[in-house]
Amino acid sequence: ALIDGTYTLAPGIEGHVDDWFTLLNLGFRFTVLGNSDTHGLTSVESGCPRNFVMSETDDPAFLDDQAIADAVKEHRVVASYGPFVRFWIDGEPIGGEIVSDQAITMEIDVQAPTWMGVDRVELYENGTLIREWDVEDAPIVERFHETFTHTPEKDSWYVVVVAGDDDMFPVLTPVEIPYVDL
């Protein structure tokens, strides 16, 4: 949907996801990272998006700097505005590689705070949307879980995108960014 223009990040403007997908299709394996900054005290909040980096521990006191750096280099990161996404192919987690000439088993798990809307889950293969699920609004943390088989036709990479149509007010203040014609 990003390739054919059905979805864009802003009307008439191709975005960072398009660039990342193009680089992946060209064989460059870059880890996507989310970041933010602010240029004022009250106009735009910082701290979102965030990066969930896979580690051996959930206790920050026991995090190892080198292990975190290695996880980023191994693409074991999820950039997110809130939803916590886990994804496995034949049991191999995000960032892994598998070799198979037959059907593979994919598993997607999405969790999010109860105040955050999650409307859909999308699965991309080589930059093309191949599956999409509508997610019913429910006041639970576990929003989506799906296990299914898929048979790739060629060497492929996969990305899971989780989206919601509502802003995150009052946690984040909505900010209209006007179109900039360069």
Side-chain angles (χ1 to χ4, degrees), residues 129-149:
L129 180 67
I130 61 167
R131 294 202 57 180
E132 183 175 12
W133 298 268
D134 289 327
V135 178
E136 290 187 33
D137 191 26
I140 58 173
V141 172
E142 174 100 13
R143 300 299 181 85
F144 178 84
H145 190 93
E146 185 80 21
T147 302
F148 57 96
T149 58

Side-chain angles (χ1 to χ4, degrees), residues 3-182:
I3 289 173
D4 70 15
T6 302
Y7 295 115
T8 58
L9 299 179
I13 302 173
E14 293 193 12
H16 304 303
V17 173
D18 304 289
D19 294 340
W20 182 47
F21 282 9
T22 298
L23 290 168
L24 291 172
N25 280 335
L26 292 171
F28 296 97
R29 291 200 58 210
F30 292 112
T31 301
V32 69
L33 296 172
N35 66 16
S36 68
D37 68 348
T38 184
H39 298 274
L41 297 177
T42 60
S43 60
V44 178
E45 294 136 305
S46 64
C48 203
R50 301 209 174 157
N51 298 295
F52 296 118
V53 181
M54 291 184 211
S55 71
E56 296 297 319
T57 180
D58 287 340
D59 187 337
F62 293 101
L63 288 175
D64 176 66
D65 294 345
Q66 187 59 53
I68 296 300
D70 292 343
V72 171
K73 288 178 184 177
E74 294 166 3
H75 319 290
R76 298 190 185 282
V77 177
V78 173
S80 178
Y81 269 91
F84 185 73
V85 179
R86 295 183 299 168
F87 178 45
W88 301 267
I89 298 177
D90 286 347
E92 185 69 26
I94 291 170
E97 292 185 29
I98 64 162
V99 177
S100 177
D101 59 356
Q102 48 194 310
I104 55 177
T105 300
M106 296 183 159
E107 183 177 359
I108 301 171
D109 183 72
V110 178
Q111 298 175 20
T114 56
W115 50 262
M116 176 178 290
V118 172
D119 299 319
R120 68 187 175 280
V121 175
E122 302 169 347
L123 176 63
Y124 290 86
E125 178 184 61
N126 298 328
T128 300
L129 180 67
I130 61 167
R131 294 202 57 180
E132 183 175 12
W133 298 268
D134 289 327
V135 178
E136 290 187 33
D137 191 26
I140 58 173
V141 172
E142 174 100 13
R143 300 299 181 85
F144 178 84
H145 190 93
E146 185 80 21
T147 302
F148 57 96
T149 58
H150 174 72
T151 304
E153 295 180 11
K154 60 183 178 180
D155 187 21
S156 300
W157 55 265
Y158 297 90
V159 169
V160 174
V161 174
V162 176
D165 292 328
D166 296 329
D167 62 46
M168 293 193 296
F169 182 81
V171 176
L172 293 175
T173 305
V175 176
E176 284 292 323
I177 300 174
Y179 177 77
V180 177
D181 189 13
L182 298 176

